[in-house]
Amino acid sequence: ESFEALLGDAAADVRARCGELNLLSLRQQQLLGQWNATSAPFERESTVADWVERSIRAHRDRVAVRCNGESLTYAQLGARVERLALRLRERGAQRGRLIGLLLPRGTAMLTAMLAVMRSGSAYVALDPAYPPARLRYVIEDANLAVVVVQRAGEPIDAIVPDGIEVLDVEDEAAVVVPAIGADRDAQPPAPAGPDDPAYVSYTSGSTGQPKGVVVPHRAVVNFLQSMQRQPGLTPQDRLVAVTSLSFDISVLELLLPLVVGARVAIADRATVQDGRALASLLRSEQATVMQATPAGWRLLLAAGWSPPPGFKALVGGEPLSLDLARQLLQRAGELWNLYGPTETTVWSTAWRVDADRPVMSIGTPIANTRIHVLDERLQPCPIGVAGEIFVGGDGVAHGYLGRPELTAQRFVAEPTRPAARMYRTGDRGRWASDGLLEHLGRNDLQIKVNGHRIEPGEIEAAANRLPSVLQTVAIARTFGPDDLRLVLYVVAAGDDLDPLGVRRQLQQTLPAYMVPQHVVRVTAIPTLPNGKTNFAALPSAIDEPLDRGRAAADEPRGAAARPLSPIEQSIAQIWAARLGVAAIRPDDNFFDLGGTSLLAMQVIVDLEKQLGLRVTPERMAFETLSQLAGEAAPAAASAPSHRPRTLLRFGRSGRELVGVLHRPAASQPHRPAAVLCNPWGQEAVQAHRA
């Protein structure tokens, strides 16, 4: 049929270029039209704040949110939202203004998110775990009117520039205003309209700096109403929220339960990183639904998680493998694979996974969404032929904040609807003959790691600013199932290069998910005849992620020459099996060797099974091999050989600098006095020493 369509088009216009000839038969055109027939009614003139307020009125006495033992009913949540919204208006919040949320995970975070939208403004998430320099850039780029924090008394000068007002959510408790549902004639209605921004989500940028995506209320309302129908959520559901507010998929976790009258349990940061703690929270909250990336689900599976009958698992953010899908289907009642870029409002397609289908699908368009698979001329590809995925419909965002040229490049006119816009995703895909979409990777170098979209150019730009670096290339390499790690290849500016030092310097400007697990020195970046990078010629073996020639001042005394003890050898073997690193020393830290949260959870399970050693993710993050072994040896000998360790915490604007202070036994003089996670550089080290 396609061949006949091609010949017919050629005969109709003998002067047409071959590349302009139509390949779609009439039947294929009809099928593509049917698969994109997603029109469905939704509240086009409503805002998210309107919908949440109606739900609060309807479910006043039901529990709305829980976190760390604190519960709020819908009425209590509504009162807090109204109280904070009033104070935000007093500080200048209004239609068109942007408000930053620099808050730890908890009920205050949800309250502030709703209050900003209730005030008529849009929120910009500022993850407290991100480096101060990155947070400051976002605050300045977004021209925020106010930054909402918790415990504003702590120093935040390095984050919030002068002239921007800071509002502490804990100072608002004394303000008394009528709750939602009471007589509020004196309170002005929310001034935002359906076309006004609900939030601005910052994503990695190829130019070296993050960019903000402006998402309107109408797009969010359409998304939530579509998700309410499929995958589906009811007032009886209990959803555990595990995603950072700065990651746009948190919109589903925090808002969808509230608009349908369900309950959301917010997992704190420590719980999210600990598979066993998260599994325990799911059990205690009697959760029926959870959304996570594939790496997040593997974290739970490694912890031995077993859900109740009928549990609904939502997966998205990066490709779902058939192997992981089958493992989840053995446990969950329903498994949904979701796909969509930030620029089209969280998810654009959905599929209830069928294990019998030999190829993983991303499903079909959600309500009021159209998916086009187009060639380089923006013409539809025949069914089964790969092209670039374009997304149109009511979920398309306004564009990039303050970047009209970039917006014009990525948001283009929709061929079948010239007055409408569609977003060019850069993803490759194709329609299968059964009407399901298949994702086939990227057209460019963009990377997805644990659901986070990463532009390698941003990592390279940050690394190239370091004085020890001349040239870099950042890529992602697969080390195992859902074990995708960032590798930075570096041409040094001089004879000496400390890869561990490079990682530590990048931690000052890049969020943790963008810091390469491996830094590898190369003499030159290989190129193709056209001058572009020859990625295939980059070294594939990552045997030595750390430079063993570190400065003597950084070396614990005697550590370089001391052989591993038997218990250290046992732990090192487990590390090596997971990391693929052969040489491990007593002073090495698991994450410095390239470890990730998922690998750490797998190692924790291995340590308990093979050695009977129970270790927390926090200890894996902050302790060395020697320190972990020091805790294990006394248990084996039934006689403690050292004093208890002390956990030191330095709070700063909702973040914590954590150090584990050890007092070494006389028989273990090689053990370091302390290991510090230090996001603030020399200032924090001096404070610790004082």
Side-chain angles (χ1 to χ4, degrees), residues 287-311:
T288 61
V289 186
M290 196 180 88
Q291 169 188 256
T293 63
W297 286 112
R298 285 199 183 273
L299 194 71
L300 269 176
L301 294 176
W305 166 74
S306 181
F311 187 90

Side-chain angles (χ1 to χ4, degrees), residues 179-207:
I180 290 179
D183 182 8
R184 295 186 291 108
D185 292 339
Q187 299 300 319
D195 287 323
D196 289 318
Y199 63 88
V200 175
S201 181
Y202 273 77
T203 67
S204 179
S206 58
T207 59

Side-chain angles (χ1 to χ4, degrees), residues 49-60 62 74-75 180 255-262:
D50 296 334
W51 201 4
V52 171
E53 181 175 346
R54 287 200 305 271
S55 184
I56 289 173
R57 292 173 182 269
H59 306 286
R60 292 180 54 82
R62 294 176 63 91
Y74 276 84
I180 290 179
L255 293 180
L256 184 58
L258 296 184
V259 298
V260 304

Side-chain angles (χ1 to χ4, degrees), residues 560-638:
R562 185 181 67 81
L564 297 180
S565 68
I567 185 62
E568 287 172 343
Q569 290 178 6
S570 299
I571 297 175
Q573 288 173 0
I574 293 174
W575 285 18
R578 293 294 183 182
L579 291 171
V581 176
I584 299 177
R585 299 187 310 186
D587 64 311
D588 281 333
N589 171 268
F590 181 77
F591 283 85
D592 283 341
L593 292 173
T596 62
S597 296
L598 173 59
L599 291 174
M601 193 66 235
Q602 294 171 340
V603 165
I604 287 170
V605 173
D606 293 341
L607 290 173
E608 186 169 355
K609 287 181 178 179
Q610 299 179 32
L611 305 179
L613 176 61
R614 294 187 65 89
V615 176
T616 64
E618 186 176 57
R619 289 186 59 198
M620 291 288 293
F622 300 128
E623 297 188 30
T624 64
L625 171 64
S626 174
Q627 289 167 331
L628 290 173
E631 297 290 326
S638 300

Side-chain angles (χ1 to χ4, degrees), residues 261-330:
R263 177 188 300 185
V264 56
I266 301 175
D268 61 25
R269 182 175 173 80
T271 300
V272 170
Q273 295 175 336
D274 186 340
R276 287 187 290 201
L278 182 56
S280 176
L281 178 65
L282 287 165
R283 287 191 297 269
S284 64
E285 292 292 340
Q286 299 179 332
T288 61
V289 186
M290 196 180 88
Q291 169 188 256
T293 63
W297 286 112
R298 285 199 183 273
L299 194 71
L300 269 176
L301 294 176
W305 166 74
S306 181
F311 187 90
K312 187 177 295 184
L314 312 181
V315 188
E318 57 189 356
L320 171 63
S321 66
L322 283 171
D323 164 65
L324 178 58
R326 289 177 179 133
Q327 291 185 59
L328 288 172
L329 282 172
Q330 291 173 358

Side-chain angles (χ1 to χ4, degrees), residues 319-320 337-340 348-351 357 359-365 371 389 428-430 436-440:
L320 171 63
N337 192 28
L338 306 165
Y339 161 82
S348 301
T349 69
W351 181 52
R357 194 177 194 273
V359 178
M360 185 57 60
S361 169
I362 57 174
T364 56
I371 303 293
I389 297 176
R428 287 181 58 76
R430 66 179 180 182
L436 295 177
L437 283 158
E438 295 173 1
H439 188 274
L440 303 174

Side-chain angles (χ1 to χ4, degrees), residues 137 141 202-214 398-411:
Y137 172 83
D141 185 72
Y202 273 77
T203 67
S204 179
S206 58
T207 59
Q209 296 290 0
K211 57 187 183 293
V213 181
V214 183
H398 284 336
Y400 299 111
L401 183 66
R403 302 192 180 185
E405 292 183 359
L406 183 60
T407 298
Q409 292 174 13
R410 306 300 297 184
F411 295 83

